[in-house]
Amino acid sequence: MFRPKIPTMPTPTGHFTPPAVVEPTAVVPSIQTPPVAPPAPAPSRPVVQLTPGTVLAVVGGGTAVVLVVGAVLVSMLLAVAITGVSVAVVAVVLRSLLASETKRR
């Protein structure tokens, strides 16, 4: 049931021609000419000219991105810290409640 069924190779039918015999040929070395170096391509786009206004805009945009990413990371760190403190407070309260309950018995 779990043994694979291997297909049988079909036998050729019809007209069969034997493969042609390929005769080896002699290799004749020829003089190799070095390839000609292509000329340097012309720049396809103009060179960007940085004016003081564009530099100021790029610096301002980069500063804004850094400030936003920093604020997001600090808020995530603050959320993790607040969660950790609240879990620790809950653990202390539960420990205190369980300890006082065992003292009553």
Side-chain angles (χ1 to χ4, degrees):
M1 179 174 167
F2 293 109
R3 292 197 304 192
K5 295 180 181 178
I6 300 173
T8 58
M9 194 69 164
T11 56
T13 58
H15 208 69
F16 177 71
T17 56
V21 177
V22 178
E23 304 245 348
T25 58
V27 177
V28 178
S30 63
I31 299 174
Q32 295 288 332
T33 58
V36 178
S44 60
R45 58 183 181 167
V47 178
V48 176
Q49 298 289 330
L50 292 178
T51 62
T54 57
V55 170
L56 188 62
V58 169
V59 169
T63 304
V65 168
V66 167
L67 289 177
V68 168
V69 169
V72 168
L73 292 177
V74 167
S75 64
M76 288 173 63
L77 179 63
L78 186 61
V80 169
I82 291 172
T83 304
V85 168
S86 64
V87 168
V89 168
V90 168
V92 168
V93 169
L94 284 176
R95 181 178 171 197
S96 173
L97 287 174
L98 290 175
S100 66
E101 185 178 311
T102 54
K103 285 182 183 179
R104 288 184 191 166
R105 289 184 180 179

